[in-house]
Amino acid sequence: MREYLVVFGIALGVTYLLASIARMLAYRFGAVARVRDRDVHAIPTPYFGGPAMLGGLIAAYLVATHLPFLSMADDGVFKDARAVVLGGTVVCVVGIVDDLYELDALSKFAGQVLAGVIVVAQGVQFVYLPLYGNYIGLDQAQALIFTVLLIVGTANAVNFVDGLDGLAAGMVAIGAVAFFAYAFVLAVENGETRAIAAALLTAALAGACIGILPHNFFPARMFIGDSGSMLIGFVLACSSISLTGQFPATSISEGIGGAQNSFLPSLLPLILPFAILVVPFVDLALAVVRRTRAGRSPFSPDKMHIHHRLLEIGHSHRRAVLLMYAFAGLVAFGSVVISLFSGWQSIAGFATLAVITIAAVFLLPKLEEKVWSS
């Protein structure tokens, strides 16, 4: 655990320091977000948070290779991590080009697919799918399709949710911490090695996301841009995929306190990226339906995303972001707890927190309005 904390700290510190340099470079090369009608920022703001986070991830990986416990682990840990860092570099470069020149949607999609294929070619892929209590083995073509679909879907979902200062980075940081806890605890409970590529990647990812937040949280001094949002979505998806490849299906079937009768521990590596980002995934689906029904391209921008709706019903910018954080934490940690613990108490606790979070969305603006009117 201590070495994972070192990885987390290195990613956080390097990202934080590189962000200032990246911001100056963004101004120099003209990678600046102009103010548009659908935007919520009031002044032009530089991009390039993505390169800073990539630098943090690379630094964390390099340090990890020299830490005593992790460096003695099976090479599969660093083989998967290298593959994800390489693929993440490709998707980040695509995002940098988009931040500079505004690529069309098809070009970005092609870059995301290329990065996904690079990762799969180096062995980071689904080898089985859990289904109705059984495990279905995948051939190479099926593994490629399912793996790339999850990676591209997650990268685009994070990209879609990146509409408020600090929103995407904070949500992915929460998801990364939750998945780290899941992978680490599951390995301990099932007697597997604690040197896990998924834990290494999520520890570094959480550090990079938190390291960028002082620059990116409202009022943002810089944006992470497509280079950052696609990168962190990419790494989050690859982390979950890596876990299924490192452990055999039967080794990740037992939770805490005898929760092995639940099939959720085996399902979670597949569903957690979607669960963490359930709000942006729903937002993505609604956006596609909304735009196609209006006769427009599903990739055409508008100002009707969920975070825009929160602002419309009376939440401040900061509170809208914090509420989205609350939803992300609720789903991410709720999924982990339900999968690892048996008993109705975990489900009841999750339901109670869900009711409180949903009530806060609709009641806080009304309470604030009453306070100001009185």
Side-chain angles (χ1 to χ4, degrees):
M1 176 63 80
R2 285 176 295 181
E3 293 192 1
Y4 287 125
L5 291 175
V6 171
V7 168
F8 170 83
I10 291 295
L12 189 157
V14 172
T15 300
Y16 176 79
L17 294 174
L18 288 180
S20 297
I21 300 172
R23 186 167 64 247
M24 291 187 291
L25 291 174
Y27 277 122
R28 179 173 181 178
F29 291 105
V32 177
R34 310 298 175 187
V35 180
R36 301 165 297 183
D37 180 62
R38 64 186 177 92
D39 292 326
V40 295
H41 62 281
I43 60 174
T45 307
Y47 289 123
F48 282 9
M53 289 191 289
L54 178 63
L57 292 172
I58 293 173
Y61 166 78
L62 293 175
V63 169
T65 60
H66 292 85
L67 295 176
F69 174 68
L70 289 174
S71 62
M72 293 174 60
D74 184 85
D75 186 58
V77 174
F78 292 110
K79 179 176 177 291
D80 283 6
R82 281 195 302 269
V84 175
V85 169
L86 178 59
T89 301
V90 172
V91 82
C92 185
V93 169
V94 173
I96 291 172
V97 175
D98 181 64
D99 291 338
L100 287 169
Y101 304 110
E102 294 192 12
L103 294 174
D104 59 272
L106 186 59
S107 298
K108 284 198 292 185
F109 178 75
Q112 294 165 357
V113 171
L114 173 62
V117 171
I118 289 173
V119 169
V120 173
Q122 297 179 77
V124 180
Q125 62 184 40
F126 287 116
V127 294
Y128 63 85
L129 288 179
L131 186 65
Y132 300 115
N134 296 311
Y135 300 92
I136 301 176
L138 301 176
D139 60 31
Q140 187 61 38
Q142 292 170 334
L144 173 65
I145 293 170
F146 280 111
T147 303
V148 172
L149 278 177
L150 179 66
I151 291 172
V152 172
T154 307
N156 278 294
V158 176
N159 192 25
F160 261 67
V161 80
D162 186 30
L164 296 179
D165 297 356
L167 182 56
M171 289 183 71
V172 172
I174 291 168
V177 171
F179 195 80
F180 171 83
Y182 165 76
F184 189 84
V185 171
L186 199 63
V188 172
E189 289 297 315
N190 288 276
E192 298 288 341
T193 177
R194 301 178 192 184
I196 314 165
L200 171 61
L201 289 167
T202 49
L205 177 61
C209 289
I210 294 173
I212 202 67
L213 279 178
H215 302 271
N216 184 232
F217 197 73
F218 182 83
R221 291 180 289 164
M222 71 182 304
F223 293 153
I224 64 173
D226 282 5
S227 60
S229 60
M230 293 194 300
L231 170 65
I232 59 179
F234 179 91
V235 175
L236 180 64
C238 290
S239 301
S240 66
I241 295 164
S242 173
L243 188 66
T244 65
Q246 183 163 2
F247 292 159
T250 54
S251 296
I252 58 171
S253 59
E254 183 171 343
I256 296 173
Q260 67 272 14
N261 58 329
S262 171
F263 196 52
L264 279 173
S266 301
L267 278 173
L268 205 61
L270 179 63
I271 65 174
L272 191 62
F274 292 95
I276 294 167
L277 300 168
V278 63
V279 173
F281 270 120
V282 170
D283 193 21
L284 172 61
L286 292 176
V288 171
V289 172
R290 180 174 66 245
R291 293 163 185 171
T292 52
R293 287 185 62 183
R296 296 186 290 123
S297 166
F299 298 102
S300 61
D302 59 28
K303 203 172 183 179
M304 298 180 67
H305 292 292
I306 292 174
H307 49 270
H308 292 128
R309 304 288 181 88
L310 289 173
L311 296 176
E312 289 176 2
I313 65 175
H315 292 289
S316 66
H317 194 124
R318 286 177 180 267
R319 193 162 65 201
V321 172
L322 293 175
L323 284 171
M324 294 287 278
Y325 286 177
F327 274 113
L330 173 71
V331 176
F333 287 99
S335 300
V336 170
V337 169
I338 291 173
S339 71
L340 293 180
F341 292 85
S342 59
W344 61 269
Q345 294 92 341
S346 59
I347 298 176
F350 175 82
T352 301
L353 291 175
V355 170
I356 294 172
T357 305
I358 294 172
V361 171
F362 297 101
L363 294 181
L364 284 177
K366 294 181 180 180
L367 292 175
E368 187 176 50
E369 184 178 352
K370 286 184 180 180
V371 170
W372 282 106
S373 61
S374 62

